[in-house]
Amino acid sequence: MTTYQQLSDLLRQRILIIDGAMGTMIQKHTLNEDDFRGGKHHVHDELHARICNHNHDLQGNNDLLVLTQPDIIRNIHREYLAAGADIIETNTFSATRIAQADYEAQEFVYEINYRAAKIAKEAATEYSTPEKPRFVAGALGPLNKSLSLSPDVNNPGYRSTTWDEVVAAYSEQLHALIDGGADIVLIETVFDTLNAKAAIYAVNKVFQEKNCNLPVMVSGTIVDMSGRTLSGQTSEAFWNSIRHCPNLLSVGLNCALGAEQMHPFLTELSRVATCFLSVYPNAGLPNEMGGYDETPEHMASVLQQFGKEQLYNIVGGCCGTTPDHIAYMEKNARTIIPREIPQQESYMRLSGYEPFILRPEINFVNIGERTNVTGSAKFAKLIKENLYDEALSVALQQVDAGAQIIDINMDEGMLDSEAAMVKFLNLLAAEPDIARVPIMVDSSKWSVIEKGLQCIQGKGIVNSISLKEGEEKFIEQARKIRSYGAATVVMAFDEQGQADSLQRKKEICERAYKILTEIVDFPPEDIIFDPNIFAVATGIEEHNNYALDFIDATRWIKNNLPGAKVSGGVSNLSFSFRGNEPIRRAMHSAFLYHAIQAGMDMGIVNAGQIDIYDEIPKHTLELVEDVLLNRRADATERLVELA
Ligand code: THG
């Protein structure tokens, strides 16, 4: 039986207890600089000698204590185990290369994590019985650097670290925690969802490298009563961003708030999360001295009330809590019925700062097209002239005009597309009125797409991948997209080229669907087919059936590839009427009228510029539909004449 199964079985039977604060317990020992270096301990090896002679202050580096004061840490674990904790956390909250840089202690990172896991595991083993097995959660804490926030208010696009650095730091920590014997991976106190997504990416990578598959717990932090994470997301948006995590055992909330304040956010998360739920609050809000006063009885009684509402499966404490708090919780938990995992419809669930769920009652999703350097002369000019603030106003205009997603494309020969994508997305992240919606990263270059994915904390969409370069590339990219936690557009394009007939559209989409669902295990609801909207009324006879082929392909996909969505670039349709907006708009609107009936879910459009079908003048509509539905040989001629 895997640890995942073992824990799942237990969690269906009862509430599991996770331990309380480590920092609070360490503080009681009032350790000085000398103690942090090992104090009177005999320097018995080369590592301890290096710590002893380390040329930076080490006082306050709590994580280092697993090497220099192992008995203190071991005894804290024992106290929590004695109080009834089923899961204890390793003392590794800041044990990454990035956080340890504060003490110039990067060289000790592997050893700290390895020893921390060993010490915790030994303590857990001492207390483990068949009736009450104990588990060690290897803790990946937050960082002092953020991927979605700038530390400089005057430079909102600046970032103090990179995706690759964060992934490398968490990977190093994970390797050591797993080597040391951790049973669970715990990504906790998530202030910044993008950092957490990098941690999840590292989990994917390290599980593959080590060929292991531990259960993973993710715990976010809502920082105040606005109900948002520090990086701006609501709890449901946070859930949508992290639920692609492999082997996800639980999601939950910890830190920043006391139990009482967490109630509304916990309720929201509990409603949507299709895994177990954890909660380990602080012992109330901090007092004037920055301490925590909530008594064990009070905190446990508040949490018991939540338990009666069946809001959680795992409970414990964060800052300010002690073994007493945990003992009270453990006693109360015996009478609590565990939360049942809710059933959720398999809708596409995206997010920006806010969740966006493609529910059936949504008739059509507008994806704003104007933030595209090849699709808007204005946007291209602004980006080339480095006028990013004004370029952001294009994005805002699209959102204000009703775009529920925005498509961002920087593919232009004269641009450093990767740099432009990163800069624009980082600036955009600081604009809540824009960043509330999910992002569609649009590029024909995979490197640009990857850079884009590394900048978005929400669950976005890749636009696009295809079978153009064969199955191997396609599978590799799809797997990566999963690790980044995005949905994807798949173009009807294969080794032979773009699908330009109904038959080819069907064949390619079916083949791609099979590969994605059967080989990659890609969720069908996150697959968006684009069966190619090409220009019609071009004067070339072979183009006459293009609109109809798209509509028929849409109907076929929706009837034959369960869960998959259909999208397309609507403005492509009318390229031969450039400069004649009224005709273009009539074409788009009539086209969407038919395509949506056939099942088209979303489209890249000029948001706010879609006319109402019933308001198209009758004569215009007839000529437009003659073209779109390929109803007569002289359709193009007649529409050109009208134009
Ligand atoms: N499928 C997918 N992605 C896509 C497309 C698609 N991305 C790009 C494109 N096609 C969709 N976006 C646009 C954006 C703008 C226009 C067309 C498609 C457009 N722009 C005006 C023009 O060219 O006439 C520009 C006018 C101006 O400069 O303001 O029509 O099909 N998956």
Side-chain angles (χ1 to χ4, degrees):
M1 188 159 61
T2 65
T3 313
Y4 189 96
Q5 286 167 328
Q6 196 186 358
L7 280 161
S8 302
D9 289 350
L10 284 168
L11 284 165
R12 263 180 236 118
Q13 293 159 26
R14 61 181 175 90
I15 302 289
L16 291 190
I17 309 294
I18 187 162
D19 62 7
M22 177 59 80
T24 303
M25 299 294 285
I26 290 173
Q27 258 172 32
K28 292 180 181 170
H29 292 265
T30 55
L31 303 172
N32 63 26
E33 179 66 38
D34 192 41
D35 299 326
F36 271 88
R37 285 170 192 263
K40 317 261 172 311
H41 279 278
H42 183 58
V43 176
H44 46 82
D45 63 16
E46 182 268 341
L47 175 71
H48 289 81
R50 267 194 290 139
I51 295 172
C52 221
N53 299 322
H54 191 63
N55 57 15
H56 191 286
D57 284 354
L58 290 173
Q59 190 175 12
N61 189 354
N62 283 352
D63 301 51
L64 195 68
L65 296 174
V66 297
L67 301 179
T68 55
Q69 302 287 347
D71 292 340
I72 291 182
I73 304 303
R74 192 188 322 274
N75 286 328
I76 295 171
H77 286 321
R78 284 177 175 147
E79 283 190 67
Y80 279 121
L81 289 161
D86 299 284
I87 302 169
I88 57 170
E89 293 184 41
T90 55
N91 179 38
T92 52
F93 190 73
S94 303
T96 52
R97 184 162 286 278
I98 293 173
Q100 285 295 315
D102 283 358
Y103 300 94
E104 293 174 18
Q106 296 93 320
E107 62 181 294
F108 305 121
V109 162
Y110 183 91
E111 210 53 47
I112 291 173
N113 286 287
Y114 179 80
R115 287 300 308 161
K118 278 254 178 244
I119 290 169
K121 188 71 190 172
E122 282 160 17
T125 306
E126 281 173 36
Y127 283 80
S128 244
T129 62
E131 299 73 44
K132 195 168 166 76
R134 313 295 181 115
F135 300 88
V136 171
L140 272 57
L143 304 175
N144 45 3
K145 292 185 172 179
S146 162
L147 287 171
S148 26
L149 297 163
S150 170
D152 178 357
V153 284
N154 296 314
N155 190 358
Y158 173 72
R159 296 293 183 270
S160 53
T161 185
T162 63
W163 173 273
D164 288 342
E165 254 172 37
V166 174
V167 170
Y170 280 132
S171 299
E172 180 183 28
Q173 183 175 26
L174 271 165
H175 268 286
L177 286 168
I178 297 170
D179 289 346
D183 304 299
I184 301 169
V185 172
L186 170 61
I187 301 169
E188 70 166 351
T189 323
V190 175
F191 293 112
D192 177 348
T193 309
L194 192 52
N195 283 20
K197 283 173 76 176
I200 291 167
Y201 191 90
V203 166
N204 260 310
K205 189 166 85 72
V206 172
F207 280 5
Q208 259 171 48
E209 284 163 4
K210 300 189 98 67
N211 191 24
C212 71
N213 206 11
L214 304 182
V216 185
M217 300 171 63
V218 178
S219 181
T221 301
I222 298 292
V223 290
D224 57 35
M225 293 312 285
S226 70
R228 306 267 177 161
T229 61
L230 194 67
S231 54
Q233 281 190 317
T234 66
S235 27
E236 185 171 3
F238 169 70
W239 162 246
N240 290 354
S241 292
I242 62 94
R243 58 190 281 266
H244 64 286
C245 181
N247 232 15
L248 185 62
L249 181 75
S250 69
V251 69
L253 297 177
N254 74 291
C255 209
L257 302 175
E260 265 148 343
Q261 296 83 28
M262 268 186 197
H263 186 262
F265 319 125
L266 192 70
T267 307
E268 182 181 332
L269 198 55
S270 171
R271 184 175 54 80
V272 294
T274 47
C275 59
F276 295 108
L277 215 100
S278 68
V279 55
Y280 50 109
N282 289 348
L285 294 173
N287 61 28
E288 280 138 45
M289 309 292 289
Y292 300 89
D293 305 321
E294 209 163 274
T295 63
E297 293 93 323
H298 180 72
M299 186 171 175
S301 75
V302 174
L303 286 168
Q304 183 167 33
Q305 193 50 47
F306 296 4
K308 285 192 186 137
E309 296 171 42
Q310 291 192 38
L311 291 182
Y312 60 78
N313 308 90
I314 301 170
V315 68
C318 199
C319 306
T321 60
T322 64
D324 265 357
H325 291 80
I326 298 306
Y328 272 93
M329 288 179 208
E330 198 272 341
K331 194 165 132 268
N332 286 356
R334 293 177 205 164
T335 62
I336 294 172
I337 299 163
R339 165 182 172 272
E340 262 176 59
I341 296 178
Q343 289 291 319
Q344 285 279 352
E345 303 285 349
S346 47
Y347 301 141
M348 175 182 280
R349 291 167 193 276
L350 307 172
S351 59
Y353 278 22
E354 285 160 27
F356 178 74
I357 299 152
L358 187 44
R359 296 182 197 282
E361 53 270 29
I362 297 181
N363 183 42
F364 180 73
V365 178
N366 294 277
I367 305 166
E369 71 174 18
R370 293 277 120 183
T371 37
N372 180 338
V373 289
T374 52
S376 158
K378 179 183 168 192
F379 187 73
K381 186 162 181 287
L382 294 172
I383 294 296
K384 281 185 204 155
E385 292 177 2
N386 207 21
L387 298 171
Y388 277 75
D389 280 349
E390 277 185 66
L392 283 172
S393 70
V394 175
L396 182 61
Q397 179 274 327
Q398 291 286 280
V399 175
D400 285 346
Q404 294 126 306
I405 298 172
I406 45 176
D407 180 76
I408 297 171
N409 182 311
M410 298 291 184
D411 284 355
E412 215 272 332
M414 300 299 285
L415 272 179
D416 178 345
S417 305
E418 288 179 28
M421 181 64 81
V422 167
K423 182 165 181 184
F424 190 71
L425 290 176
N426 282 344
L427 285 166
L428 193 151
E431 303 288 336
D433 292 336
I434 309 170
R436 65 186 175 82
V437 306
I439 305 290
M440 177 177 266
V441 185
D442 186 350
S443 179
S444 56
K445 288 193 222 104
W446 174 253
S447 63
V448 177
I449 286 177
E450 242 188 308
K451 285 278 182 227
L453 290 172
Q454 296 174 356
C455 297
I456 58 174
Q457 69 164 325
K459 174 163 179 175
I461 303 174
V462 165
N463 182 13
S464 55
I465 57 171
S466 76
L467 285 159
K468 180 159 82 177
E469 294 168 78
E471 287 188 8
E472 206 178 315
K473 251 279 155 44
F474 180 70
I475 290 169
E476 183 193 319
Q477 293 176 343
R479 290 213 166 106
K480 278 229 171 105
I481 292 170
R482 262 316 267 167
S483 303
Y484 283 109
T488 193
V489 172
V490 179
M491 298 299 300
F493 203 131
D494 69 3
E495 299 89 335
Q496 265 73 60
Q498 275 179 306
D500 54 3
S501 67
L502 177 60
Q503 191 53 31
R504 289 258 299 145
K505 290 175 202 280
K506 287 188 200 171
E507 277 167 17
I508 297 174
C509 293
E510 180 167 41
R511 178 173 164 221
Y513 183 86
K514 269 186 166 294
I515 294 171
L516 288 174
T517 54
E518 291 169 15
I519 299 176
V520 183
D521 206 17
F522 207 93
E525 66 272 18
D526 284 350
I527 304 170
I528 305 161
F529 284 111
D530 183 332
N532 303 321
I533 300 180
F534 298 132
V536 291
T538 59
I540 299 169
E541 211 191 305
E542 291 85 78
H543 299 179
N544 289 349
N545 218 47
Y546 277 170
L548 209 51
D549 284 346
F550 179 92
I551 292 167
D552 289 341
T554 298
R555 192 177 296 108
W556 184 87
I557 290 166
K558 298 295 289 185
N559 287 333
N560 292 280
L561 306 177
K565 311 289 182 286
V566 173
S567 178
V570 177
S571 303
N572 307 349
L573 186 73
S574 59
F575 274 150
S576 52
F577 292 92
R578 279 204 165 109
N580 189 335
E581 275 309 295
I583 293 290
R584 289 191 74 174
R585 288 171 67 142
M587 288 176 77
H588 301 161
S589 156
F591 175 78
L592 284 176
Y593 176 81
H594 295 285
I596 292 169
Q597 277 183 25
M600 186 179 185
D601 301 276
M602 52 183 78
I604 307 175
V605 297
N606 191 347
Q609 303 281 307
I610 303 295
D611 297 335
I612 295 166
Y613 179 77
D614 288 332
E615 291 173 5
I616 304 172
K618 285 291 157 274
H619 183 59
T620 308
L621 180 63
E622 189 186 327
L623 298 196
V624 163
E625 288 189 336
D626 283 346
V627 165
L628 298 180
L629 308 176
N630 196 10
R631 288 196 298 214
R632 45 193 290 172
D634 59 353
T636 298
E637 229 168 280
R638 284 162 42 104
L639 188 59
V640 170
E641 214 166 281
L642 176 76

